[in-house]
Amino acid sequence: MINTQANATALNTLRKSLRLSICLELLKYIMEITPSKIKAWDLPTRVWHWSIVALIAFLWFSAEIADDLMDWHMMTGRTLLGLLLYRIVWGVMGSETARFSRFVRSPLAALTELKGLAGGQHTRYIGHNPAGGWFVLVLIALMALQAISGLFVSDGYFYEGPWASSVSGDVQDTMMDIHELGINLIIAAVVIHVLAIVVHSLRGDHLVGAMITGNKKVSTTTADGTPTQWRSPWLALAVAAACVGVLWFVTA
């Protein structure tokens, strides 16, 4: 009788232990698959991103649609150049996910990332993935080339860049060719960027929302880890104001 009761007690204890283990494993699984919000982008980087979008849109509109806005076009171009300088500075001293040292990896890593995406593999990153990091550099270079070439262009009649008079007519013509080609390259890059966003969205990585709110929802471990170092928005504002101010001064 005593052995029977002991066996029953042991069996009940075993059942409770199994139930507890199952509940703990289920809870662990739910926590792993439930997306958690992680801060991905600081406010300065988000403001810079959407400011660049607005500036590029206006520059295209003022050059292709509304010729009477050419004075504003040139001022906007100088502002764009200043913000590009700011992004380079912020890429060195800014918040963790904004730094080039975090997201610029080897070309081989970028190619491996693209190959993985093409093969259906999707590695999650809080910030830019290796391919995206190189694309950021390409976009900055294209926009810088566009803005710098604009400083030297002249239509020969009404409008000319602030540095056009310092170069020969042949150089002005060359810069005009670069300027006209540059906007087409930028548009092509923007199209590629939008297509990449769509692909990532279809795979559950909502990049646009993260660039608006600053937070990214992730349910798995990310390849680049959770960022912990953030800089003050006031510092970013001071750096941006200094960069734009310097560019306006030297291009006056």
Side-chain angles (χ1 to χ4, degrees):
M1 183 68 178
I2 295 176
N3 290 336
T4 302
Q5 290 179 346
N7 290 337
T9 301
L11 184 60
N12 287 332
T13 302
L14 179 60
R15 287 174 178 173
K16 290 179 181 179
S17 298
L18 287 174
R19 289 172 184 170
L20 180 60
S21 297
I22 292 173
C23 289
L24 289 174
E25 289 298 322
L26 182 60
L27 180 61
K28 181 180 178 181
Y29 173 75
I30 292 175
M31 292 178 66
E32 288 178 350
I33 66 173
T34 301
S36 58
K37 287 185 178 181
I38 297 178
K39 186 175 180 180
W41 304 111
D42 62 1
L43 180 62
T45 300
R46 286 178 281 143
V47 172
W48 179 87
H49 178 276
W50 296 113
S51 297
I52 293 298
V53 172
L55 291 178
I56 291 296
F58 177 79
L59 286 166
W60 175 85
F61 177 79
S62 59
E64 302 294 334
I65 306 299
D67 291 342
D68 57 329
L69 296 176
M70 192 52 64
D71 287 336
W72 284 96
H73 178 92
M74 290 189 287
M75 288 188 291
T76 303
R78 292 159 65 193
T79 302
L80 173 67
L81 194 55
L83 288 179
L84 292 176
L85 176 60
Y86 155 76
R87 184 61 184 90
I88 293 172
V89 174
W90 199 244
V92 175
M93 61 173 289
S95 297
E96 188 172 345
T97 52
R99 294 179 199 163
F100 299 125
S101 59
R102 179 181 173 92
F103 61 79
V104 177
R105 298 174 178 83
S106 69
L108 179 60
L111 292 175
T112 302
E113 179 71 21
L114 291 174
K115 183 179 179 180
L117 286 172
Q121 300 176 359
H122 184 47
T123 304
R124 288 293 182 91
Y125 290 83
I126 293 297
H128 297 297
N129 63 37
W134 279 97
F135 197 73
V136 169
L137 297 183
V138 170
L139 278 173
I140 290 176
L142 287 175
M143 290 186 291
L145 179 64
Q146 185 72 0
I148 292 172
S149 63
L151 299 175
F152 297 92
V153 301
S154 173
D155 65 357
Y157 298 99
F158 303 106
Y159 302 106
E160 67 175 23
W163 292 350
S165 60
S166 64
V167 297
S168 66
D170 290 339
V171 173
Q172 291 177 6
D173 292 339
T174 300
M175 289 297 179
M176 179 64 79
D177 292 338
I178 293 174
H179 203 65
E180 292 176 347
L181 174 63
I183 188 59
N184 294 322
L185 294 177
I186 290 173
I187 291 173
V190 169
V191 171
I192 294 173
H193 182 50
V194 172
L195 290 176
I197 290 173
V198 172
V199 170
H200 279 276
S201 296
L202 292 175
R203 298 184 178 185
D205 198 0
H206 303 292
L207 304 182
V208 175
M211 192 55 71
I212 293 174
T213 65
N215 299 318
K216 183 176 286 189
K217 292 183 178 180
V218 294
S219 56
T220 59
T221 302
T222 58
D224 53 351
T226 302
T228 58
Q229 299 178 18
W230 305 98
R231 294 286 186 253
S232 168
W234 295 108
L235 174 62
L237 180 61
V239 173
C243 290
V244 173
V246 167
L247 261 297
W248 269 71
F249 176 78
V250 300
T251 59

